[in-house]
Amino acid sequence: MASVSVCQYRPGGFSFENCKRNALLEADINKLGFSSPAARKTGTTICGVVYKDGVVLGADTRATEGMVVADKNCSKIHYISPNIYCCGAGTAADTEMTTQIISSNLELHSLSTGRLPRVTTANRMLKQMLFRYQGYIGAALVLGGVDCNGPHLYSIYPHGSTDKLPYVTMGSGSLAAMAVFEDRYRPNMEEEEAKRLVRDAIAAGIFNDLGSGSNIDLCVITKGNVDYLRPHDMANKKGVRTGSYRYKHGTTGVLTKAVTPLNLEVVEESVQTMDTS
Amino acid sequence: MHFTVVFSGLSGVCDRLRQARVRTPAAGSFSNVVSVKMATVLQFPASVSTFNNYNDLYPDWTQREVSTGTTIMAVEFEGGVVIGADSRTTTGAYIANRVTDKLTPIHERIFCCRSGSAADTQAIADAVTYQLGFHSIELDEAPLVQTAASLFREMCYRYREELMAGIIVAGWDPRRGGQVYTVPVGGMMTRQPVSVGGSGSSYIYGYVDSNYRAGMSKEECLKFTAEALTLAMERDGSSGGVVRLAVISEQGVERQVILGNQLPKFSTV
């Protein structure tokens, strides 16, 4: 075998440069009584199912920062290539950047081969990158698409392990969604049935998991066509108030009125034109 | 050479980790610490996550590393080998995949049975598949099972601190026939006529030691493996699902699956 020098310093991998500084800052902030902001996670329910003609991916749209909803309508189904899409759970920044990096590399690869990219290629690229970072990139993904070998669906864990399955769920609401799948999944479903199944699985996650909520996004991928349905179902529409709390003019009687004019003197006036060309 | 591309992925991260272990403070920021000695004997689950100590929003199993809890087994017979595994992959207490295929082809007539961390074993198996394929093309002949086992040993020993992988390499080659090599956690390599591994193996050492006879036929080996795996799956929480079997011989590879309701039945289970 090729002899590899382990002693040689190899750049790459996670940079731990700022960990000590961050720990000191955190201690300082805690002393003052405040807490440092938590990384925004997509609490999330994401899932995917393989049906007769292709793949249906589904996701909720809630992004949380600790116990507060940071984004009520974020998009968790990311574009990888024209025939491949990826749902992301875990740290929002990690899923966003990881999918963008692999999407970019896959496009270059596709131009180099002259072919439509395969789902297994995207899977390899993602798992090798996540393994390289030993789980520090908190991205749990559901990757689905249709290529020359048919429809494929993968689940990818933050440490870099992957599973190729006919139906997968990920995220904090994955148990609720998996319960729906285990009950109603059949091989070779029709498109409407598959969409209904995914919608119900995400709904189970939304209504039974605190980390998931808001709307249901679907992405239906078939050979040669992608339907990105955002939103597919607004499961949590904001209610309409039955009454109005506005008071009519004149409700509060005015007892006295005192007007104090503020005399302002113009000292200097200058005009800066903005270049709007 | 081509191999450096493959090695640098692992060595780069491992060197960084070696340096990082000195510098990273105790207050972790992301996910769990990787190095847990989940040996084939200890039953304690993977390390506690330090990200959110207690938070209803992110239950325990979303932060645990995925592990193939597992029972794996391989038996040599005259003319080939029989290998078998359960099909459960867990993250903490949740079963992430109940139909996992832990019998991974490395070459046409060489397979490996994976136990330990799913990510580590998948990455190692991919790397060894590449290296063995290259080596086989260079030689222009079928590779030896011992070569495959050596490649596994090389990787598992060199990166023993960073990896958690217990692997059984089994296959058939024209020179020495059916062979089983075990490469447990730590990176030892030894040839054995019968080998078991994974968290469920502890429960069946007695059964295997008392029921194995040299010179069994292929059918006897299949029955022996299926029964041993069934007993382990019954007692070990991290093993379960279906039993996957494969027979590797000069003729090729025959795979079969024994579903839950078709498993052999014992009086107490």
Side-chain angles (χ1 to χ4, degrees), chain A residues 6 9-10 12 16 64 66-67 124 127 131-132 135 157 159 161-163 167 172 174-175 182 210-211, chain B residues 7 10-11 13 15-16 18-20 31-32 55 57-58 61 65-66 94 96-98 119-120 122 126 158:
Chain A
V6 184
Y9 173 80
R10 283 181 203 287
F16 291 96
T64 52
M67 280 281 178
R124 267 292 161 113
K127 72 146 61 173
F131 183 75
R132 197 169 0 121
Y157 290 84
H159 282 264
S161 60
T162 65
D163 290 306
Y167 54 96
S172 55
S174 66
L175 259 58
E182 289 285 22
L210 296 176
Chain B
F7 267 124
L10 266 178
S11 66
V13 72
D15 289 341
R16 278 305 245 174
R18 284 208 190 96
Q19 293 159 36
S31 63
N32 32 4
N55 192 341
L57 272 186
Y58 309 112
W61 43 263
E65 193 187 331
V66 177
Y94 178 64
N97 186 353
R98 59 180 170 85
D120 290 349
Q122 281 181 13
D126 287 344
R158 188 178 289 254

Side-chain angles (χ1 to χ4, degrees), chain A residues 39-244:
Chain A
R40 183 195 293 191
K41 296 191 78 140
T42 51
T44 296
T45 311
I46 51 175
C47 67
V49 89
V50 173
Y51 75 103
K52 195 176 78 167
D53 305 318
V55 172
V56 180
L57 301 174
D60 73 305
T61 59
R62 175 182 286 184
T64 52
E65 209 160 3
M67 280 281 178
V68 175
V69 174
D71 190 347
K72 287 184 280 194
N73 198 198
C74 76
S75 166
K76 299 185 191 180
I77 305 184
H78 308 285
Y79 168 89
I80 301 279
S81 80
N83 59 325
I84 304 171
Y85 278 72
C86 184
C87 310
T91 310
D94 287 345
T95 58
E96 188 72 43
M97 295 315 301
T98 305
T99 47
Q100 280 178 3
I101 290 170
I102 265 64
S103 169
S104 164
N105 289 347
L106 202 60
E107 187 174 349
L108 290 170
H109 184 263
S110 164
L111 286 164
S112 166
T113 58
R115 295 175 166 89
L116 202 62
R118 302 187 189 190
V119 188
T120 188
T121 314
N123 180 50
R124 267 292 161 113
M125 291 174 158
L126 283 163
K127 72 146 61 173
Q128 285 180 348
M129 178 182 169
L130 290 173
F131 183 75
R132 197 169 0 121
Y133 286 91
Q134 287 286 290
Y136 284 97
I137 292 187
L141 309 167
V142 167
L143 175 76
V146 179
D147 57 29
C148 55
N149 291 340
H152 303 280
L153 186 65
Y154 292 88
S155 66
I156 306 169
Y157 290 84
H159 282 264
S161 60
T162 65
D163 290 306
K164 185 175 195 307
L165 292 163
Y167 54 96
V168 294
T169 65
M170 288 284 232
S172 55
S174 66
L175 259 58
M178 185 52 89
V180 175
F181 275 162
E182 289 285 22
D183 185 33
R184 286 160 47 186
Y185 170 81
R186 297 180 301 111
N188 291 358
M189 286 182 286
E190 294 299 327
E191 178 169 325
E192 279 314 307
E193 191 188 347
K195 280 164 70 173
R196 225 183 356 253
L197 181 63
V198 172
R199 186 250 156 229
D200 288 344
I202 301 292
I206 286 173
F207 294 116
N208 299 97
D209 172 47
L210 296 176
S212 313
S214 298
N215 312 326
I216 299 167
D217 289 349
L218 282 194
C219 185
V220 183
I221 310 172
T222 52
K223 195 165 185 64
N225 185 49
V226 173
D227 279 331
Y228 194 94
L229 307 162
R230 176 175 155 82
H232 173 254
D233 193 333
M234 305 197 76
N236 289 291
K237 267 214 230 349
K238 196 166 179 174
V240 176
R241 279 174 218 242
T242 49
S244 171

Side-chain angles (χ1 to χ4, degrees), chain B residues 110 132 135 141-149 173-176 179:
Chain B
I110 306 175
L132 200 66
H135 172 71
E141 65 181 48
L144 299 175
V145 185
Q146 188 182 5
T147 313
D173 63 41
R175 203 182 290 187
R176 292 187 198 133
Q179 300 145 71

Side-chain angles (χ1 to χ4, degrees), chain B residues 75 95 121 167 170 207 249:
Chain B
V75 188
I95 299 171
T121 52
I167 294 172
Y207 180 83
S249 63

